[in-house]
Amino acid sequence: MRGMCTRALLVAALLLSAAGCVTQAKHDALQKRLDDTELALRNEQKAERRAYEDEITSLEGRIEQLSSTLEDYRGQVADLEAELATKDAELAALEQRLSQTERELASVIEKKADLTASIDQMSAALEELRERKTATDQRIAAYRDILDRFRALIDAGKLKVSIIDGRMVLTLPMDILFASGKADLTEEGRSSLREVGTVLATVKGREFQVEGHTDNVPIKTTRFPSNWELGAERALVVLRALVEGGVPGRRLSAATFGELRPAKSNDTAAGRAANRRIEIVMVPDLSTLPGYDELNELGGGR
């Protein structure tokens, strides 16, 4: 810029000189000065051009360097994006595994709850079985105890002890107790019943029902219109004899089944003789049965 200004001044000076009268020497001096100025300007322009060219070259190198750096950054960004995609895939897989693990854990917890419930049920069932076994052992012990107490009467053929429909039953043959079609005790029968009563009186906390059974031969008298009445009267007579033997009356009851519950077939004389019988049944203790308390409360029992 400075060279251009200088050149303009020189040109202006020459024009002024040309307008007036100058000497040849002065003219030559001005011409030389002009030429020197132009040469200096050209040199200055060349130097500035080289400087510009060097700066451009430097800028181009910088641009190329920056372009290379940019490409490196782009490569790094691509690598990071690929790594991010891999991490996203790994994260998705981990989330899937976590979801599966949570489902498995929920299943394990559910199975554990079911197993705990099963264990509780098994423990309750086992406890119930133990209680039943204890009750069964007690019943067996009571049965053996009564067998031992009645051993003399059993051996003498005056009494039979058996389990019928889960109940302990003492069976007395009718021919010892009553004559056919009668409800009056024989002396042997009264004696036998007193012995039975003496033993029953020692069995504490149990109740007994005296049941009268007949064969299927019909009877129809003023005193006994049917086998029902005959069985009932015989059961009551036996009940009174047991009271005389020492059994408290509050522990005794009487029932009749007539010919409706035969022990044997009535087609033979032996069968009919077996059906004419008195049975003394030990009444089951219902309080030992499962659900007794709930049923008792539901029924308003005492």
Side-chain angles (χ1 to χ4, degrees):
M1 179 64 68
R2 185 181 58 186
M4 293 179 66
C5 292
T6 303
R7 183 178 181 183
L9 289 174
L10 290 174
V11 171
L14 289 173
L15 291 174
L16 290 173
S17 299
C21 295
V22 294
T23 63
Q24 184 66 36
K26 194 171 183 178
H27 178 271
D28 293 339
L30 288 173
Q31 184 65 45
K32 184 179 184 303
R33 186 177 178 186
L34 179 59
D35 293 339
D36 290 342
T37 300
E38 288 180 353
L39 179 61
L41 287 174
R42 283 194 294 272
N43 291 334
E44 184 177 355
Q45 288 177 351
K46 289 180 181 179
E48 287 181 354
R49 187 179 294 111
R50 284 195 297 271
Y52 289 152
E53 290 175 351
D54 291 343
E55 185 175 357
I56 290 171
T57 301
S58 177
L59 289 174
E60 289 177 346
R62 180 62 177 165
I63 290 172
E64 183 177 357
Q65 182 181 5
L66 290 175
S67 299
S68 177
T69 302
L70 178 60
E71 290 300 322
D72 291 341
Y73 286 160
R74 286 176 178 171
Q76 293 178 13
V77 169
D79 292 340
L80 288 174
E81 288 177 346
E83 184 177 357
L84 180 60
T86 301
K87 297 298 183 184
D88 288 340
E90 293 177 353
L91 179 59
L94 287 174
E95 289 177 346
Q96 185 176 2
R97 288 175 57 188
L98 177 60
S99 178
Q100 178 65 25
T101 301
E102 289 176 346
R103 289 195 295 271
E104 292 175 355
L105 179 60
S107 177
V108 169
I109 293 174
E110 184 179 358
K111 289 180 179 178
K112 180 183 177 182
D114 293 342
L115 182 60
T116 301
S118 297
I119 291 175
D120 292 341
Q121 292 175 358
M122 291 176 63
S123 298
L126 182 59
E127 183 61 27
E128 184 178 350
L129 286 175
R130 287 173 179 158
E131 292 177 356
R132 289 185 179 180
K133 183 179 183 302
T134 299
T136 300
D137 291 342
Q138 291 174 350
R139 287 195 295 269
I140 292 174
Y143 178 71
R144 289 174 176 169
D145 179 59
I146 290 179
L147 282 177
D148 292 338
R149 298 186 189 200
F150 285 110
R151 180 59 57 191
L153 290 172
I154 294 172
D155 293 342
K158 297 179 180 180
L159 182 70
K160 178 182 177 182
V161 181
S162 56
I163 300 295
I164 301 176
D165 296 333
R167 305 178 303 169
M168 183 177 296
V169 179
L170 311 179
T171 304
L172 294 92
M174 193 63 66
D175 56 358
I176 295 178
L177 303 177
F178 303 101
S180 178
K182 303 296 183 181
D184 301 314
L185 278 174
T186 65
E187 288 301 322
E188 182 181 8
R190 188 175 299 277
S191 176
S192 297
L193 287 174
R194 287 177 179 173
E195 292 183 63
V196 172
T198 300
V199 176
L200 287 181
T202 65
V203 181
K204 303 299 182 182
R206 303 307 296 264
E207 296 181 358
F208 303 93
Q209 179 170 280
V210 181
E211 298 177 353
H213 298 267
T214 69
D215 58 24
N216 66 343
V217 177
I219 184 173
K220 189 173 183 180
T221 65
T222 303
R223 184 177 178 184
F224 307 118
S226 70
N227 284 327
W228 285 94
E229 286 77 13
L230 177 60
E233 183 65 23
R234 285 174 171 175
L236 288 172
V237 168
V238 171
L239 184 149
R240 295 188 185 96
L242 293 176
V243 172
E244 293 175 3
V247 182
R250 66 179 180 277
R251 294 169 56 193
L252 293 170
S253 61
T256 178
F257 292 95
E259 72 275 12
L260 299 179
R261 288 195 179 181
K264 301 287 184 179
S265 172
N266 281 301
D267 294 337
T268 64
R272 289 190 294 273
N275 291 334
R276 296 190 297 270
R277 67 198 188 277
I278 287 292
E279 291 182 347
I280 302 174
V281 179
M282 182 181 292
V283 179
D285 183 3
L286 299 182
S287 64
T288 62
L289 297 179
Y292 171 80
D293 292 335
E294 290 81 357
L295 290 174
N296 195 41
E297 182 178 353
L298 181 64
R302 291 180 297 174

